[in-house]
């Protein structure tokens, strides 16, 4: 990873000093040692801050929404999941491909910062839950690729096993499970804010008129928020796992997202989101001869 870090710095230096881009979006070492935070570099002398290590979790594509006013191109580093986030935003007309310089990093899989807490550098650390079922560790869109492509490998089954358990439950039991989870939700909106598929300029939950969602924290409104969000990202979720990672109360949101992805792929064929910005999403199109009368 030191080699990738060096290549990142060299690439950023070249792009900024030649004027090809106005801003570089990457990661820098944070505090404590098992955190690597997003960083925004617009000066050549700052490129040494860039790093790539097992804690570069943040999907940087979401920040592109706030960078529309940058005068010039924006370069950003992307892992496989991040690159699908970029395609998500391009497909949703939130960013333009020609405004970006995308630097791909084949991703070896990240570590779990919660497991790293209390340990030291070099200790054995569990893999990140979000990387367990990663189907696309290699960037699917880039202008430059740093390093050799890596194979997709299964790193764990936690989320898959939870889905299997939920599928075996009776509807009432499943309802109880999710009610118990959403009862713990503090409606902080971290899951929405970090999500590249949640990219509406004005979220329905923030609207005062009409007020779709009250401010009180209760199970009914928490469920309304979560189910609305799950449906809004259905067929559009790029499986980055950031919503679950950001959730401060550890609600297993990826079990919900992945279950919906599995069902959509079963019904419409495998069409993972964020691979092709030209292709309409399965729930974003219809056929005139659709057997469903409503259409
Ligand atoms: S989900 Fe895949 S691409 Fe994303 S960080 Fe994990 S292994 Fe890397
Ligand atoms: S719903 Fe979660 S996994 Fe899907 S795109 Fe949004 S943050 Fe990523
Ligand atoms: S991040 Fe977790 S606690 Fe916050 S709104 Fe989302 S599900 Fe609720």
């Amino acid at each position: 990873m030191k080699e990738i870090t060096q290549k990142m710095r060299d690439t950023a230096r070249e792009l900024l000093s030649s004027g090809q881009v106005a801003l570089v979006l990457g990661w820098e070492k944070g505090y404590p040692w098992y955190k690597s935070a997003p960083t925004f570099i617009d000066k050549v002398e700052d490129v040494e801050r860039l790093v790539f290590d097992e804690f570069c979790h943040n999907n940087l594509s979401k920040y592109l929404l706030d960078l529309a006013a940058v005068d010039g191109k924006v370069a950003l580093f992307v892992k496989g999941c991040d690159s699908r986030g970029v395609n998500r935003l391009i497909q949703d007309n939130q960013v333009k491909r020609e405004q970006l310089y995308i630097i791909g990093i084949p991703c070896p899989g990240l570590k779990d910062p919660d497991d790293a807490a209390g340990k030291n550098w070099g200790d054995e650390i569990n893999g990140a839950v979000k990387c367990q079922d990663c189907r696309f560790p290699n960037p699917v869109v880039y202008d430059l690729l740093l390093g050799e492509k890596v194979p997709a490998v299964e790193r764990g089954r936690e989320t898959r096993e939870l889905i299997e358990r939920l599928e075996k439950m009776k509807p009432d039991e499943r309802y109880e499970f999710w009610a118990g989870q959403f009862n713990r939700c503090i409606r902080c909106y971290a899951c929405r804010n970090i999500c590249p598929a949640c990219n509406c300029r004005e979220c329905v939950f923030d609207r005062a008129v009409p007020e779709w969602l009250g401010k009180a924290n209760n199970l009914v409104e928490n469920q309304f928020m979560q189910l609305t969000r799950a449906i809004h990202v259905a067929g559009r979720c790029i499986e980055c796992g950031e919503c679950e990672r950001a959730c401060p109360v550890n609600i297993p949101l990826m079990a919900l997202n992945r279950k919906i992805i599995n069902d959509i792929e079963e019904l419409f064929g495998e069409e993972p989101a964020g691979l092709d910005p030209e292709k309409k999403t399965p729930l974003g199109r219809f056929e005139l001869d659709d057997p469903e009368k409503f259409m």
Side-chain angles (χ1 to χ4, degrees):
M1 287 196 175
K2 278 196 178 133
E3 202 184 317
I4 295 290
T5 294
Q6 192 52 52
K7 284 184 181 171
M8 287 170 77
R9 293 173 182 174
D10 292 345
T11 306
R13 188 179 296 106
E14 163 65 19
L15 289 171
L16 285 168
S17 59
S18 64
Q20 287 182 72
V21 305
L23 184 71
V24 177
L25 211 46
W27 306 272
E28 66 178 339
K29 212 53 222 152
Y31 177 84
W33 62 271
Y34 48 82
K35 303 270 182 192
S36 297
T39 190
F40 303 79
I41 309 273
D42 61 359
K43 294 187 198 67
V44 172
E45 52 268 36
D46 290 337
V47 299
E48 294 299 316
R49 288 188 358 219
L50 288 165
V51 294
F52 185 69
D53 65 12
E54 293 98 339
F55 299 102
C56 290
H57 284 270
N58 287 73
N59 184 337
L60 302 174
S61 64
K62 182 75 192 234
Y63 292 100
L64 294 174
L65 282 179
D66 297 324
L67 300 176
V70 172
D71 190 12
K73 273 193 173 189
V74 174
L76 81 162
F77 294 96
V78 295
K79 310 180 293 290
C81 53
D82 310 340
S83 70
R84 294 174 68 193
V86 173
N87 272 344
R88 166 84 284 126
L89 295 173
I90 293 172
Q91 193 169 21
D92 292 344
N93 285 322
Q94 296 290 11
V95 293
K96 294 204 180 325
R97 176 68 178 90
E98 56 271 24
Q99 288 175 332
L100 308 174
Y101 189 93
I102 305 170
I103 309 153
I105 300 179
C107 181
L110 306 182
K111 299 287 184 195
D112 181 358
D114 292 339
D115 187 49
K119 293 184 176 173
N120 296 310
W121 186 261
D123 288 350
E124 190 66 32
I125 297 164
N126 292 338
V129 176
K130 73 182 220 156
C131 300
Q132 285 185 352
D133 260 338
C134 177
R135 295 191 280 178
F136 300 94
N138 297 301
V140 297
V141 57
Y142 52 83
D143 296 299
L144 176 71
L145 189 67
L146 304 184
E148 298 295 317
K149 290 191 177 177
V150 293
V153 286
E154 186 184 301
R155 299 185 172 86
R157 290 189 46 88
E158 211 175 293
T159 304
R160 213 181 295 180
E161 281 167 5
L162 176 55
I163 294 172
E164 285 164 8
R165 237 176 348 111
L166 286 162
E167 284 174 336
K168 284 187 190 131
M169 287 180 191
K170 295 195 178 89
D172 285 355
E173 291 172 329
R174 206 178 301 132
Y175 177 85
E176 284 308 315
F177 174 85
W178 284 114
Q181 297 295 335
F182 296 145
N183 216 10
R184 299 189 293 114
C185 172
I186 56 172
R187 209 106 61 74
C188 65
Y189 293 115
C191 51
R192 173 198 67 177
N193 295 351
I194 207 161
C195 173
C198 267
N199 58 39
C200 297
R201 282 285 169 194
E202 187 184 13
C203 174
V204 66
F205 305 133
D206 293 334
R207 292 193 72 159
V209 184
E211 189 183 40
W212 291 100
L213 192 65
K215 302 292 176 226
N217 191 290
N218 56 53
L219 177 59
V220 171
E221 288 182 297
N222 292 355
Q223 282 178 319
F224 174 69
M225 179 247 167
Q226 291 295 343
L227 295 180
T228 304
R229 204 182 94 78
I231 295 300
H232 280 189
V233 301
R236 302 173 55 255
C237 164
I238 50 91
E239 304 174 80
C240 63
E242 282 292 84
C243 47
E244 182 172 302
R245 182 183 71 84
C247 178
V249 294
N250 299 321
I251 295 176
L253 296 167
M254 283 312 288
L256 191 55
N257 295 330
R258 282 235 160 86
K259 167 67 179 155
I260 294 174
I261 290 168
N262 293 348
D263 288 354
I264 287 178
E265 292 190 357
E266 195 181 313
L267 288 167
F268 298 96
E270 193 170 321
E271 295 195 42
L275 297 190
D276 179 0
E278 300 299 324
K279 201 164 180 184
K280 290 219 164 60
T281 58
L283 303 187
R285 63 172 189 254
F286 67 93
E287 308 293 339
L288 286 174
D289 58 353
D290 194 294
E292 172 57 58
K293 285 196 179 65
F294 174 75
M295 304 305 287

